[in-house]
Amino acid sequence: MKLIACHIDNFGKLSQLDLEFGQGLNVIHEANAWGKSTLAAFLRVMFYGFDSKRESGAFDKERVVYRPWQGGVYGGEVDFEHCGKRYRVSRTFGKTEKTDEFHLYDLNTNLECHDFSSDIGSELFGLDSSSFKRSAFIAQNDCECGSTDAINAKLGNLAENTNDINNFESALKRIHDRMNKLSPDRATGSIKKRTNTITLLTEELRSFEAAEKSAGELAEKLSEKQGQRKELMEIRSQYASALQLASEESRRESLRANYDGILREVEDRKKALEQYQMLFPKRVPEESEFQEKNQEVQMLGVLKTTLYNIGLTDTEKAQYEKLKDMFSQGVPEAETLDEIDDKLDKLARYKDERAQLETKMSYFEAMAMKQEEVRTVVSRHMGALVMGILCVLAGIAGGVAFLLAPALAQYWMIGLILGIGVTLVGAALLIARTMRMRKEEKALQLAIAKSEEEKRKLKEPVDEIQSLLSQVGTQMEQLRREVSAFLEQYRLYCDVDEARARIYELRSQIHEYDRLQNRMEKSDAAREDCDRTRQSLMAFGQDTGIDFGEDIALSISHMQTRAAEYRLAKSAYEAALDKKKSFEEEHPVEELTSTDKCPYSLDELNAMIRDVDQRIEDVRESIEQYNHQMEDLQEQLDLRDEKEQQLAICRNEQEQEGHQYEILTLTQNYLQSAKEQFSARYLGPIEQGFQKYYEMLTGDTSGDWMVNANIAVQVKEQGELRETKWLSAGYQDLLGICMRLALVDAMYPQEKPFLVLDDPYVNLDEEKVQCGNRLLTQISQEYQVIYFTCHKSRMAES
């Protein structure tokens, strides 16, 4: 049998994956997390479906683990060849096994066929899913080998009738469990438990022999005590007759003494009542009145406490008087304070407005200065014209001076020339400036006219701003006066800039004044209630004729106690009168005399009867004690019968279970022997296959190993055969790989299955990995091998 191709719709992280498989070794070399183990699981699940129970080490069922990460159709297809015929198996998986779908197609006709059922893996390989994963499917870090019922059946060529060998382990386990339950050696075994029970019952039955002997002795003592009691009862009857006669006489004497006592009691109760009546000159208050007054006393205490708690201290009184004087003209309303706040806000706005007006005033003053610059330009032109005229006059004056001064005659020519030159320069400047002034005169006149007009225009807003500034100043001064006048009413003198802080302080003082005034009012009210309650209590005392004094509560308490004692005395006096009346009605005085006399006094007869009663009581206690002892002994004897019956049942059950345990022991031995004889039939081929693969992987031909009938390998270490669980993980994997390949060789001598190896060499050292790669090359000549690995060092040449 071989795989041809596979298509994965969605399985775990794999999606829309197509692969083809060839003869021999098929190496799938991919990096970690590519999905190699998922692909290996896909190939197995396509033939076996998902395991219906949770696997050891898995965090959830396989169906949940491999649910597509990206969604979509959960499943795929696998094409394979079996007995020269090609098939395609298709599976899609739902949330449960019932929702899975299975289809098998004949690829020669592309029609669905029914050569195999949905349990196609078991039908093709002759193994269940668990056994397949223990043989032809080697998962990563799961190379352990072990025998299963299905593997044993396959090895023994019992594929047609595998019930016996398949059920061997389950039958052996059931026998073993049953033997553990019956075990005569285990503390939990029923035979062991029953043995202890039988021993205990035997010891208990021995203790019952003394009880039977004690029962006979008690019966004799009981009969003797019953005779004594009968004699004592006859003596007591005689004493009782004499006592009746003495009791009648004693009764009359007692009645006379009782009557005298009642008379004395009536007199004593009367005197006691008269003493209590003197305590209440006017009247005795009722208990309901005391309850009402006690409530008033409690209320008086509460009022005093309240008055103490809410009363003002000396500091608070001084503060209150100060504030009261401050607000002598009345406490300002919140609306008045809000109006003052509004005035302060308005004053602040006026300040801002005045600042803005002053800024505008500065601006217009700057514009006026620019107009003065125009006048300066005109003055500069006029200065230049005057300069030209002066130059001309200077030239003429110079020339005249040289002509008029003889001392300077020798220089007259030079002076004449200089004067002419200056005159010419001045004339030139005068002419040039005159011509220029004519041109600029009109412009200057226009500029001057425009300057005058601008000055007139600037003057109007300046005047308006000055008027507004005057108005704002007047309003600000008015607000200042109003705020200052308001604060001065309450003796708050400050600059207007501090007025807002003073208003806040005034609000706090108003709040404090209201608080103190409220406490004063409550204190006055509490004082009035306290005085009213006290007057009511004092009036109660005057009504009853009692002066309470200073401590009203204590006086009322004493008064209430005396009133209760008065009522008790009155009730006792009335009861004594009723008692006297009842006695006289029941026992007429003339009947209290009699002539019958008894030889014994009543006390003597009672003493005699008490003595007899004590003796009767002693006998009765003895009889009762003997009866209890007899009852206890009878219970023990009844329990003995139960124990004897229980012992008989235990011995019978012990015999049956002992016989059953012997049968189970023999059965277990026969089954194990048969299993070993059956396993010995295929042990030789397995040992040969294991030796072949072991030598390929290790190169060790010493044969220091042994395979037993349970397909378990033991290796000789330090001179002894040891189980593989004590070896390293790498060596365990090596032995497991060899044993699995040997099992496959032995189970499939004819048509070989494909092998799935999911990187089984991860725990081997470098030398063993190289040998393993050569092993893969060799077995791929006989098997189709699907080999997964993530490292080049573990990648054999295909």
Side-chain angles (χ1 to χ4, degrees):
M1 176 185 175
K2 67 177 182 178
L3 299 177
I4 300 173
C6 76
H7 168 74
I8 299 177
D9 291 321
N10 294 283
F11 193 84
K13 68 183 295 183
L14 300 177
S15 177
Q16 302 304 319
L17 177 66
D18 292 286
L19 291 175
E20 294 184 356
F21 306 102
Q23 288 283 4
L25 181 61
N26 294 264
V27 179
I28 300 177
H29 175 222
E30 297 292 346
N32 289 330
W34 179 82
K36 300 184 295 299
S37 297
T38 301
L39 177 57
F42 171 79
L43 295 176
R44 175 178 56 80
V45 169
M46 291 306 293
F47 286 97
Y48 283 98
F50 285 119
D51 289 340
S52 59
K53 62 181 180 180
R54 188 189 303 271
E55 288 191 338
S56 176
F59 64 88
D60 206 340
K61 294 183 179 179
E62 284 187 326
R63 185 181 302 275
V64 178
V65 173
Y66 295 114
R67 184 169 294 159
W69 295 9
Q70 62 284 336
V73 177
Y74 187 7
E77 300 172 345
V78 172
D79 297 344
F80 66 94
E81 180 179 341
H82 177 67
C83 295
K85 192 173 181 179
R86 295 190 305 161
Y87 297 93
R88 173 174 295 166
V89 58
S90 172
R91 286 184 189 267
T92 57
F93 305 103
K95 292 184 177 180
T96 61
E97 186 176 358
K98 292 181 179 181
T99 57
D100 294 347
E101 293 187 7
F102 168 82
H103 298 282
L104 181 68
Y105 299 94
D106 185 345
L107 292 182
N108 294 325
T109 62
N110 290 332
L111 296 176
E112 188 169 0
C113 65
H114 302 283
D115 292 354
F116 301 99
S117 68
S118 60
D119 193 18
I120 185 174
S122 300
E123 296 169 358
L124 284 172
F125 303 108
L127 301 173
D128 56 22
S129 176
S130 176
S131 300
F132 180 74
K133 288 191 289 184
R134 289 289 179 185
S135 55
F137 186 91
I138 304 178
Q140 184 176 345
N141 290 321
D142 185 19
C143 300
E144 180 184 356
C145 183
S147 176
T148 66
D149 289 346
I151 290 176
N152 291 332
K154 185 67 177 176
L155 288 171
N157 292 322
L158 299 177
E160 297 300 326
N161 186 11
T162 61
N163 286 335
D164 290 342
I165 192 63
N166 280 345
N167 293 329
F168 170 77
E169 291 184 1
S170 61
L172 197 63
K173 183 178 182 304
R174 291 176 63 186
I175 291 173
H176 181 71
D177 292 343
R178 181 58 181 165
M179 289 180 67
N180 284 340
K181 291 181 180 180
L182 298 175
S183 174
D185 301 319
R186 294 169 63 93
T188 58
S190 60
I191 294 177
K192 178 67 174 179
K193 291 179 180 179
R194 194 175 291 104
T195 300
N196 296 335
T197 302
I198 290 173
T199 301
L200 181 62
L201 289 173
T202 303
E203 294 296 328
E204 289 179 352
L205 286 173
R206 290 176 184 173
S207 65
F208 290 124
E209 295 176 357
E212 187 174 5
K213 181 178 179 182
S214 298
E217 295 175 355
L218 281 175
E220 294 178 359
K221 293 179 179 180
L222 182 62
S223 177
E224 180 182 354
K225 290 295 180 183
Q226 288 174 346
Q228 292 178 3
R229 183 176 63 177
K230 183 177 180 182
E231 293 176 359
L232 290 172
M233 291 299 293
E234 291 177 355
I235 294 172
R236 190 186 188 287
S237 177
Q238 294 175 3
Y239 287 162
S241 299
L243 180 65
Q244 185 176 4
L245 181 61
S247 297
E248 183 63 25
E249 183 180 354
S250 176
R251 185 182 70 83
R252 287 193 295 270
E253 293 178 357
S254 176
L255 289 175
R256 284 195 295 270
N258 192 15
Y259 183 68
D260 293 338
I262 291 174
L263 293 177
R264 286 193 300 271
E265 181 181 0
V266 170
E267 188 63 24
D268 292 340
R269 299 300 184 189
K270 182 179 180 181
K271 292 179 180 180
L273 181 61
E274 290 174 351
Q275 291 177 356
Y276 281 112
Q277 286 176 340
M278 295 172 63
L279 296 176
F280 296 95
K282 294 184 178 180
R283 68 181 183 89
V284 180
E286 298 295 333
E287 183 63 25
S288 59
E289 294 183 78
F290 283 112
Q291 293 177 358
E292 179 182 352
K293 296 308 172 183
N294 283 329
Q295 292 178 358
E296 291 183 5
V297 169
Q298 293 177 1
M299 179 58 66
L300 182 62
V302 172
L303 291 173
K304 288 181 179 180
T305 303
T306 303
L307 185 61
Y308 175 78
N309 291 332
I310 67 175
L312 299 183
T313 63
D314 294 339
T315 303
E316 289 176 330
K317 288 179 180 179
Q319 177 69 9
Y320 175 72
E321 292 299 330
K322 181 180 177 182
L323 293 175
K324 184 177 180 181
D325 181 60
M326 180 178 179
F327 298 114
S328 59
Q329 297 181 3
V331 178
E333 300 292 336
E335 293 80 1
T336 304
L337 295 175
D338 293 339
E339 290 176 2
I340 296 301
D341 284 335
D342 293 339
K343 289 179 180 181
L344 291 174
D345 293 339
K346 188 180 295 184
L347 183 60
R349 289 196 298 273
Y350 280 152
K351 287 182 180 180
D352 295 338
E353 186 177 349
R354 184 176 64 182
Q356 294 175 2
L357 291 174
E358 289 175 349
T359 302
K360 290 182 180 180
M361 190 71 178
S362 299
Y363 168 74
F364 286 116
E365 287 176 351
M367 294 297 293
M369 289 180 67
K370 288 184 180 180
Q371 297 303 321
E372 291 297 328
E373 291 178 0
V374 176
R375 295 178 181 275
T376 303
V377 171
V378 176
S379 300
R380 191 167 56 248
H381 285 299
M382 293 302 292
L385 180 61
V386 171
M387 183 61 72
I389 296 172
L390 291 175
C391 287
V392 174
L393 293 176
I396 297 173
V400 174
F402 279 106
L403 292 176
L404 295 178
L408 299 176
Q410 57 179 335
Y411 300 108
W412 71 270
M413 185 60 70
I414 296 173
L416 181 61
I417 293 172
L418 289 173
I420 295 171
V422 173
T423 303
L424 291 175
V425 171
L429 289 173
L430 182 61
I431 293 170
R433 180 56 60 186
T434 302
M435 292 177 65
R436 186 173 180 183
M437 285 184 63
R438 287 177 179 176
K439 293 180 181 179
E440 295 180 357
E441 184 177 3
K442 291 183 179 181
L444 287 172
Q445 291 176 353
L446 292 174
I448 291 170
K450 186 175 181 182
S451 175
E452 291 295 331
E453 180 63 23
E454 290 294 333
K455 182 177 181 182
R456 184 186 63 78
K457 291 181 178 179
L458 290 174
K459 188 174 183 302
E460 293 178 359
V462 169
D463 294 340
E464 183 180 353
I465 290 172
Q466 289 178 343
S467 176
L468 291 174
L469 283 172
S470 177
Q471 295 177 6
V472 169
T474 302
Q475 292 175 350
M476 290 178 64
E477 184 61 27
Q478 177 64 25
L479 290 174
R480 287 192 183 97
R481 287 196 301 270
E482 292 177 358
V483 172
S484 297
F486 175 77
L487 293 174
E488 289 173 0
Q489 293 179 11
Y490 306 102
R491 299 186 182 90
L492 297 174
Y493 304 99
C494 64
D495 187 76
V496 176
D497 295 335
E498 301 176 357
R500 192 173 295 279
R502 293 294 178 268
I503 292 296
Y504 178 79
E505 180 180 349
L506 182 60
R507 288 181 184 272
S508 299
Q509 291 172 338
I510 291 172
H511 177 72
E512 180 66 10
Y513 178 69
D514 290 340
R515 184 183 71 82
L516 294 176
Q517 188 177 39
N518 185 35
R519 286 182 60 184
M520 283 291 292
E521 292 174 354
K522 290 182 178 179
S523 176
D524 293 341
R527 186 174 291 104
E528 291 178 1
D529 292 341
C530 184
D531 294 340
R532 185 169 51 254
T533 304
R534 183 180 180 85
Q535 291 174 1
S536 175
L537 291 171
M538 296 300 292
F540 173 68
Q542 293 175 0
D543 182 53
T544 56
I546 297 176
D547 184 10
F548 287 155
E550 293 296 329
D551 194 343
I552 297 177
L554 181 61
S555 298
I556 290 180
S557 177
H558 289 167
M559 182 178 178
Q560 184 177 8
T561 303
R562 296 294 181 269
E565 292 173 351
Y566 167 79
R567 282 189 287 272
L568 288 175
K570 184 179 179 181
S571 176
Y573 175 66
E574 292 175 352
L577 291 176
D578 292 339
K579 185 177 181 181
K580 176 177 177 292
K581 182 180 178 180
S582 298
F583 185 87
E584 291 176 348
E585 291 177 353
E586 184 176 357
H587 307 287
V589 178
E590 60 273 10
E591 294 181 2
L592 296 180
T593 59
S594 176
T595 58
D596 295 333
K597 296 290 182 180
C598 180
Y600 300 101
S601 68
L602 191 61
D603 292 337
E604 291 175 342
L605 288 173
N606 284 328
M608 294 166 65
I609 291 175
R610 282 196 299 272
D611 180 62
V612 172
D613 287 342
Q614 182 62 44
R615 294 170 62 188
I616 293 173
E617 179 64 21
D618 293 340
V619 172
R620 185 194 65 78
E621 289 180 354
S622 298
I623 292 173
E624 185 177 358
Q625 183 177 4
Y626 291 154
N627 284 329
H628 287 316
Q629 293 178 4
M630 285 295 292
E631 290 176 358
D632 293 339
L633 290 173
Q634 187 60 44
E635 289 179 359
Q636 293 183 33
L637 295 175
D638 294 341
L639 183 60
R640 179 196 60 183
D641 297 340
E642 294 178 2
K643 296 292 183 181
E644 289 177 347
Q645 184 178 5
Q646 185 178 357
L647 180 60
I649 294 173
C650 285
R651 285 173 175 170
N652 184 36
E653 291 178 350
Q654 189 79 334
E655 182 180 358
Q656 294 177 0
E657 287 194 353
H659 180 64
Q660 186 179 4
Y661 186 79
E662 292 176 0
I663 294 174
L664 289 172
T665 303
L666 293 174
T667 303
Q668 183 184 40
N669 294 335
Y670 289 146
L671 281 176
Q672 188 64 38
S673 176
K675 167 68 167 49
E676 292 173 356
Q677 293 176 8
F678 178 80
S679 300
R681 295 168 49 188
Y682 52 77
L683 189 59
I686 292 177
E687 288 181 335
Q688 294 175 4
F690 179 81
Q691 179 180 4
K692 178 179 67 174
Y693 295 119
Y694 182 76
E695 291 177 358
M696 286 183 187
L697 278 178
T698 64
D700 183 6
T701 60
S702 63
D704 291 339
W705 51 267
M706 183 178 70
V707 180
N708 59 31
N710 293 325
I711 318 299
V713 181
Q714 292 178 310
V715 180
K716 184 175 290 186
E717 288 287 342
Q718 301 295 327
E720 293 185 8
L721 289 174
R722 305 182 187 277
E723 296 182 8
T724 58
K725 65 181 180 180
W726 305 113
L727 303 177
S728 66
Y731 209 79
Q732 290 184 44
D733 288 352
L734 183 147
L735 296 175
I737 292 169
C738 295
M739 179 56 70
R740 289 199 182 194
L741 294 177
L743 281 176
V744 174
D745 285 350
M747 288 190 296
Y748 302 99
Q750 303 299 326
E751 185 172 1
K752 302 295 184 181
F754 62 86
L755 303 179
V756 178
L757 281 70
D758 185 10
D759 214 352
Y761 299 152
V762 292
N763 294 321
L764 301 186
D765 56 31
E766 294 180 0
E767 181 182 355
K768 301 296 190 300
V769 168
Q770 293 178 1
C771 294
N773 291 337
R774 290 194 297 272
L775 173 63
L776 286 175
T777 302
Q778 292 185 16
I779 64 175
S780 64
Q781 297 176 5
E782 186 176 1
Y783 293 91
Q784 182 188 34
V785 181
I786 314 300
Y787 178 66
F788 300 91
T789 185
C790 63
H791 203 282
K792 290 183 179 181
S793 64
R794 300 194 294 271
M795 187 171 68
E797 296 180 359
S798 59

